[in-house]
Amino acid sequence: MTLPAAFVLKVDVDTHVGLRDGAPRLLELFEKHGIRASWFVTMGPDRTGRSALRVFRQKGFLSKMLRSGAPRLYPMSTMLRGTLLPAIPVVAGQPERLRAIERGGHELGIHGFDHVYWHDELAAMNPGEVEAEVERAASLFEDILGRRPDCFAAPGWQCTAASLRATDALGLRHRSDTRGTRPYRPSMSGYDSPTPEVPTTLPTLDEILGRVGSSATELNAAYAEWIDDDGLNVHTIHTEVEGAAYLEQLDGLLERVRDRVPIRTLGEVVEELGPPQDLPLESVAPGRLPGRGGTVACQGTM
Ligand SMILES: [Zn+2]
């Protein structure tokens, strides 16, 4: 399989404020650069404050929060959502912001229903519970956009055989649930997915902040070194981070990337890969990444 040379921006929208404030800023930035991205929106409640409780449960989470300056990345109101402040829907009160992404010519799919619930509980959910989460997200997406979603990205890079099966039932064209190096079809606990998986290949900003530096110049110099001009580069960004305090950093990165590698969507990359059944089947297993607390689904080999 020859991989198309490409740089893909995968945009995750995790919170109400991310969709309200970060998404319009990113849409404007992408328009300025004349590029299209692959967006994945959490369709249900914003209970981000719940994730603050991970500090007490998860090794490495507190150090990540402090190193990446999470209080600076996420406004206090977002940090308290679902704890001291009531949960608020990410999309339901502002459907026009979802439509604006599609109107901008971008690729648009779903990033689960309840991000925090998926991230923390997926491994313990039974297949019916996973199907319900996926269906709630897909139904709301359809209510607003008049079509079923055809691509999916797992919240927090958490996936299981049940989640692969439940999302495959949507008839996906492709998904991006894992961290890895090249496109494949995921296999977990005896379930072989027919859907192309295009993993995130580059580290995220919050994983490298404070480790390779903290200025835009230092961060972008690191990315410039990691980007493979002849290969596939998938970079996950967040409306709450690059769409807020790190907008200028992303602007600078796109400036550097533009002349090196074509910027494409995940769907465009998948179209060039050929028939999905020709993609290699590879196992997925939880793994740890530098700079990230807890485990994420990682591409392995069979
Ligand atoms: Zn997310």
Side-chain angles (χ1 to χ4, degrees):
M1 174 180 55
T2 43
L3 285 180
F7 181 86
V8 177
L9 277 176
K10 168 177 172 274
V11 187
D12 287 359
V13 184
D14 293 358
T15 65
H16 179 86
V17 169
L19 182 61
R20 188 190 68 194
D21 302 341
R25 291 189 198 113
L26 288 176
L27 286 173
E28 201 179 309
L29 181 71
F30 297 163
E31 203 182 331
K32 181 184 110 175
H33 286 276
I35 60 172
R36 296 187 304 130
S38 298
W39 295 68
F40 297 93
V41 179
T42 299
M43 299 301 294
D46 176 354
R47 298 192 301 124
T48 310
R50 290 262 152 196
S51 62
L53 299 175
R54 275 181 218 137
V55 165
F56 304 105
R57 292 202 307 267
Q58 206 174 73
K59 195 170 150 267
F61 192 75
L62 180 61
S63 63
K64 180 199 142 187
M65 294 289 271
L66 295 176
R67 196 196 59 250
S68 67
R72 199 156 48 91
L73 294 181
Y74 293 88
M76 193 46 77
S77 59
T78 295
M79 297 290 288
L80 298 178
R81 280 289 162 218
T83 52
L84 294 179
L85 290 174
I88 186 173
V90 175
V91 177
Q94 45 182 357
E96 71 286 355
R97 301 225 184 271
L98 192 71
R99 294 191 195 103
I101 298 170
E102 192 159 72
R103 261 203 321 276
H106 299 274
E107 182 168 53
L108 179 57
I110 53 177
H111 190 44
F113 186 73
D114 181 335
H115 195 288
V116 173
Y117 177 50
W118 183 289
H119 183 285
D120 291 355
E121 304 293 340
L122 179 68
M125 284 185 217
N126 66 45
E129 288 166 332
V130 182
E131 282 160 27
E133 280 290 295
V134 171
E135 187 43 42
R136 288 175 86 180
S139 304
L140 182 56
F141 184 96
E142 187 176 11
D143 286 350
I144 295 170
L145 295 168
R147 65 177 178 88
R148 298 284 282 175
D150 59 6
C151 50
F152 181 86
W157 297 282
Q158 300 298 314
C159 76
T160 58
S163 76
L164 292 175
R165 199 187 292 268
T167 49
D168 280 343
L170 295 172
L172 299 178
R173 283 188 302 126
H174 57 84
R175 66 151 57 80
S176 185
D177 281 7
T178 67
R179 308 292 293 261
T181 55
R182 59 201 174 277
Y184 64 106
R185 286 183 302 125
S187 173
M188 287 186 96
S189 309
Y191 176 71
D192 297 342
S193 170
T195 307
E197 156 76 19
V198 186
T200 294
T201 66
L202 289 166
T204 60
L205 191 71
D206 58 332
E207 288 164 2
I208 66 166
L209 260 179
R211 289 199 308 126
V212 305
S214 48
S215 72
T217 312
E218 291 166 325
L219 296 165
N220 287 342
Y223 278 119
E225 217 162 280
W226 292 324
I227 289 165
D228 175 3
D229 291 5
D230 306 312
L232 176 63
N233 306 273
V234 179
H235 184 35
T236 294
I237 63 171
H238 290 88
T239 44
E240 298 78 13
V241 180
E242 285 88 345
Y246 288 85
L247 190 69
E248 242 175 78
Q249 177 267 332
L250 181 63
D251 190 14
L253 179 63
L254 293 175
E255 204 71 57
R256 293 179 79 140
V257 169
R258 256 185 354 185
D259 303 328
R260 287 177 52 179
V261 203
I263 300 179
R264 333 270 294 269
T265 63
L266 288 172
E268 288 168 343
V269 167
V270 166
E271 260 171 42
E272 284 195 23
L273 293 174
Q277 64 269 22
D278 292 352
L279 284 174
L281 204 54
E282 293 189 42
S283 64
V284 174
R288 291 188 180 274
L289 295 178
R292 179 161 295 281
T295 61
V296 290
C298 292
Q299 176 178 16
T301 44
M302 301 289 287

